[in-house]
Amino acid sequence: MTMSDARGTRERLVVIGGDAAGMSAASQARRLRGPDELEIVAFERGHFTSFSACGIPYWVGGDVPDRDRLIARTAEEHRARDIDLRLRTEVTELDLDRGRVRARDVDSGAESWTSYDKLVIATGARPIRPELPGMDAPGVHGVQTLDDGQALLDTLSRTRGRRAVVVGAGYIGVEMAEAMLHRGYEVTVVNRGAEPMATLDPDMGRLVREAMEGMGITMVNDAEVTELLTGDDGGVRAVATEDAEYPADVVVLGIGVRPETTLARAAGLPLGEHGGLLTDRSMRVRGYENIWAGGDCVEVLDLVSGQQRHIPLGTHANKHGQIIGAGAGGGYATFPGVVGTAVSKVCDLEIARTGLREKDAHRVGLRFESVTIESTSRAGYYPNASPMTVKMLAELRTGRLLGVQIVGREGAGKRVDIAAVALTAGMTVDQMTTLDLGYAPPFSPVWDPVLVAARKAATKIRATV
């Protein structure tokens, strides 16, 4: 007898994780099937659901004045749509043989089993938190959830000193450096890499470092944190590396994240090279007809390299949720893959990338040419035109676009979308040169910077044939 047999004709969908992928899946499934046909139970271990983690640095920095503005849909709104959403409830075990999950009430510790006919795993990612002395000291904060953001703000309200150290210089690291700068802190960024933003090639990362230093941020590169030093009160007082100590009244961790697949691993579900769950095109876990997974806990197909990657972004998670919800609700949809587009900023500097870096192309055996051009966001004679650097990679012989990186001021970041579309379409750099992009002096030079880079890359490719 199946679980649905025991409940009559109504099936039960259990969702683990109440943020972008999980609740998008639940909502889409509910659109397709009413509560008389499908019961939906969702578990979320935190206090909030359907929130924008990407907005946390801007809330901490004061650009977003209210935490609730980061919540797309409240728990009450989900429940009003007949979704049984259980906050502060953590799933601790998957029993695949019997089709059930064990959950624990975070506050009371009470545990119970819930059966399912269909299961969605949307457990997200967990921040990397090295096991170093002092890592758990008061004043040391990660920023993954709204609870994390609130805890950091609470610390800032109590802290008398004005020295902040950010560990890590990826997206979260540079965005939190800006947030601390906006709050009037003296900011030091300690980074293990040669340059910030390892998602860029080092020559483009250098531009980011130079700009951040120009903003008054102290950049410490090629530095491995060995210990977080504490004071007499037990709170953090400095970040130590092999060569120096950097005084800190607050420490923010921006080292990156890993797929949160502890439950999946224990249950024997298939994981990829990067530790994320492996799914098919419809986001079903490989080999399991009634289990789906999406969001930051899965690996996705890179359309440029043809390999699986872990790319934890809210844009992907929401799309995954829509596709999962369609499948779980009796419909059909697929997720084709990604090209790895991301954009960020630190103060007025915009940073964008899509496709492959040089080391990515080398790793998968692609031969390529790269070009870098300097241009401006507007016609050079138009007021407030700002400089922009565009780097482009194209495959030898074919001229296929492989990747683009952009660093500049206002108007730079979203230009990467041109390249993202070209990558998805499999365009060559020669084809890109004829794209009919919008032009007016307040918005672009006659030749848009992305097209200038494409033209230079096409010329270089032709010279090698």
Side-chain angles (χ1 to χ4, degrees), residues 47-49 71 73-83 85 87:
H47 290 91
F48 306 97
T49 183
I71 301 174
R73 187 168 289 167
T74 65
E76 291 73 20
E77 290 172 317
H78 284 301
R79 289 167 184 152
R81 304 186 68 208
D82 291 301
I83 296 173
L85 175 59
L87 295 179

Side-chain angles (χ1 to χ4, degrees), residues 58-59 62-69 153:
Y58 308 108
W59 167 41
D63 295 312
V64 177
D66 189 288
R67 178 188 65 198
D68 290 347
R69 296 195 182 189
L153 285 172

Side-chain angles (χ1 to χ4, degrees), residues 123-170:
T123 44
R126 64 181 183 276
I128 297 172
R129 199 177 185 102
E131 295 183 2
L132 296 174
M135 188 59 69
D136 295 324
V140 181
H141 293 271
V143 281
Q144 182 75 1
T145 66
L146 294 188
D147 291 311
D148 295 336
Q150 188 62 61
L152 174 56
L153 285 172
D154 291 344
T155 292
L156 297 181
S157 69
R158 297 190 301 264
T159 301
R160 295 181 181 179
R162 310 300 292 176
R163 299 168 301 184
V165 174
V166 178
V167 180

Side-chain angles (χ1 to χ4, degrees), residues 322-374:
Q322 292 289 308
I323 290 158
I324 291 169
Y332 173 71
T334 60
F335 185 73
V338 302
V339 294
T341 308
V343 63
S344 185
K345 79 177 192 75
V346 53
C347 296
D348 64 342
L349 184 75
E350 299 182 5
I351 308 159
R353 57 74 50 87
T354 189
L356 307 183
R357 300 164 295 180
E358 289 190 0
K359 69 178 183 180
D360 300 325
H362 283 304
R363 186 173 61 247
V364 296
L366 292 172
R367 297 184 63 191
F368 61 91
E369 291 285 359
S370 67
V371 298
T372 302
I373 64 101
E374 307 286 339

Side-chain angles (χ1 to χ4, degrees), residues 234-389:
V236 68
R237 67 170 179 83
V239 173
T241 67
E242 292 181 353
D243 303 317
E245 294 180 9
Y246 302 93
D249 301 296
V250 61
V251 173
V252 182
L253 304 177
I255 306 172
V257 298
R258 294 191 180 100
E260 178 47 88
T261 50
T262 305
L263 287 171
R265 185 183 299 275
L269 294 175
L271 304 180
E273 177 185 349
H274 307 285
L277 276 157
L278 296 177
T279 70
D280 62 17
R281 295 283 291 273
S282 63
M283 306 306 299
R284 277 187 171 88
V285 174
R286 294 182 188 176
Y288 293 84
E289 183 66 21
N290 290 318
I291 304 177
W292 290 259
D296 294 354
C297 66
V298 305
E299 296 184 12
V300 294
L301 174 65
D302 184 320
L303 296 174
V304 186
S305 70
Q307 298 194 337
Q308 296 292 125
R309 293 179 61 189
H310 179 237
I311 305 180
L313 290 174
T315 50
H316 302 164
N318 278 284
K319 293 170 187 173
H320 294 168
Q322 292 289 308
I323 290 158
I324 291 169
Y332 173 71
T334 60
F335 185 73
V338 302
V339 294
T341 308
V343 63
S344 185
K345 79 177 192 75
V346 53
C347 296
D348 64 342
L349 184 75
E350 299 182 5
I351 308 159
R353 57 74 50 87
T354 189
L356 307 183
R357 300 164 295 180
E358 289 190 0
K359 69 178 183 180
D360 300 325
H362 283 304
R363 186 173 61 247
V364 296
L366 292 172
R367 297 184 63 191
F368 61 91
E369 291 285 359
S370 67
V371 298
T372 302
I373 64 101
E374 307 286 339
S375 186
T376 55
S377 58
R378 302 169 178 172
Y381 55 80
Y382 195 87
N384 300 319
S386 58
M388 183 186 312
T389 302

Side-chain angles (χ1 to χ4, degrees), residues 75-133:
E76 291 73 20
E77 290 172 317
H78 284 301
R79 289 167 184 152
R81 304 186 68 208
D82 291 301
I83 296 173
D84 181 3
L85 175 59
R86 305 176 188 180
L87 295 179
R88 301 290 289 162
T89 309
E90 181 178 15
V91 174
T92 58
E93 184 181 350
L94 306 181
D95 183 349
L96 304 185
D97 292 333
R98 301 180 66 178
R100 60 180 188 166
V101 303
R102 192 208 315 251
R104 178 179 62 86
D105 185 292
V106 174
D107 298 315
S108 70
E111 293 189 338
S112 62
W113 288 96
T114 302
S115 61
Y116 65 82
D117 296 289
K118 298 177 178 180
L119 177 66
V120 175
I121 301 173
T123 44
R126 64 181 183 276
I128 297 172
R129 199 177 185 102
E131 295 183 2
L132 296 174

Side-chain angles (χ1 to χ4, degrees), residues 216-231:
I217 298 171
T218 300
M219 298 296 299
V220 182
N221 294 307
D222 285 320
E224 190 80 41
V225 174
T226 57
E227 184 178 1
L228 275 63
L229 304 176
T230 56

